[in-house]
Amino acid sequence: MTRMWPPGGGTRRPLAPRVAAPCEPVDPARIGRRVVRRRAKGMDAGAVAAALEDARFDARQNSRHEDLGDDVPGRAELAEWERLDQMLAAAPAGTVYGPDADDVVRAELAAAAREAELREAARIAARADELQALRELGTLEQIEPRDGDKAVRDELTLRAGGYVQADVDA
């Protein structure tokens, strides 16, 4: 008895090329700001001022160590504590910090939503390009559908001037 390698007799179809999904890059400064906002939630001006002094002390201590000299999250945390201190100092007495009422936080959330929309549009365009290339090669029927392919189909229909292509629709 002879065995064939690979198992299954090598009858597998080749996989369709996959495009790596774009992912959100890590931003240490953004992480530092988010940590401060989470800690500051519900703090009044006095508590924020005390936290700012602690952050300044930590920054002075870190500046004495060579390996901590490039502490991006630490610098972002200090800057965020300073911003919150100034914001609450200008607010009426008794005001407590809440990220929901912070204009800077709302602007960052809106910018992040726009970036997510742009990444999704780029993903749809890349998948549409992939399907178009597979159509030209005559191998479109060999691929497996993916989540979000309805939007890709709509993109291809838009590119074709509103004509729904039967091979893509299938």
Side-chain angles (χ1 to χ4, degrees):
M1 175 172 149
T2 57
R3 293 187 175 225
M4 297 187 67
W5 189 258
T11 59
R12 282 197 232 165
R13 294 184 308 207
L15 296 174
R18 291 230 179 227
V19 176
C23 60
E24 188 174 332
V26 174
D27 182 5
R30 186 172 138 217
I31 293 169
R33 290 189 300 270
R34 288 173 61 188
V35 166
V36 169
R37 292 170 187 158
R38 195 172 27 247
R39 282 190 51 212
K41 188 174 183 177
M43 287 185 172
D44 63 358
V48 168
L52 173 59
E53 287 307 311
D54 290 343
R56 287 179 176 156
F57 177 78
D58 291 342
R60 282 191 304 274
Q61 294 298 319
N62 289 346
S63 71
R64 296 181 179 148
H65 299 280
E66 186 176 312
D67 60 330
L68 297 176
D70 192 28
D71 182 23
V72 175
R75 286 195 311 267
E77 286 180 25
L78 177 60
E80 188 66 7
W81 281 119
E82 289 171 344
R83 186 184 73 79
L84 295 182
D85 183 55
Q86 291 173 0
M87 185 178 81
L88 289 177
T95 302
V96 295
Y97 177 74
D100 300 337
D102 192 342
D103 292 335
V104 172
V105 172
R106 285 197 301 255
E108 286 179 1
L109 290 174
R114 283 190 303 273
E115 288 176 19
E117 289 172 4
L118 291 174
R119 278 194 306 275
E120 179 63 11
R123 184 199 65 78
I124 289 170
R127 177 69 171 161
D129 291 343
E130 177 186 2
L131 292 180
Q132 185 68 38
L134 290 171
R135 171 194 283 148
E136 291 168 4
L137 291 172
T139 59
L140 187 60
E141 68 278 350
Q142 296 177 5
I143 66 160
E144 294 290 324
R146 297 184 197 162
D147 289 337
D149 273 356
K150 182 181 181 322
V152 174
R153 184 188 62 131
D154 294 343
E155 171 69 18
L156 287 170
T157 301
L158 184 67
R159 289 181 184 181
Y163 172 71
V164 178
Q165 304 94 343
D167 56 345
V168 172
D169 204 32

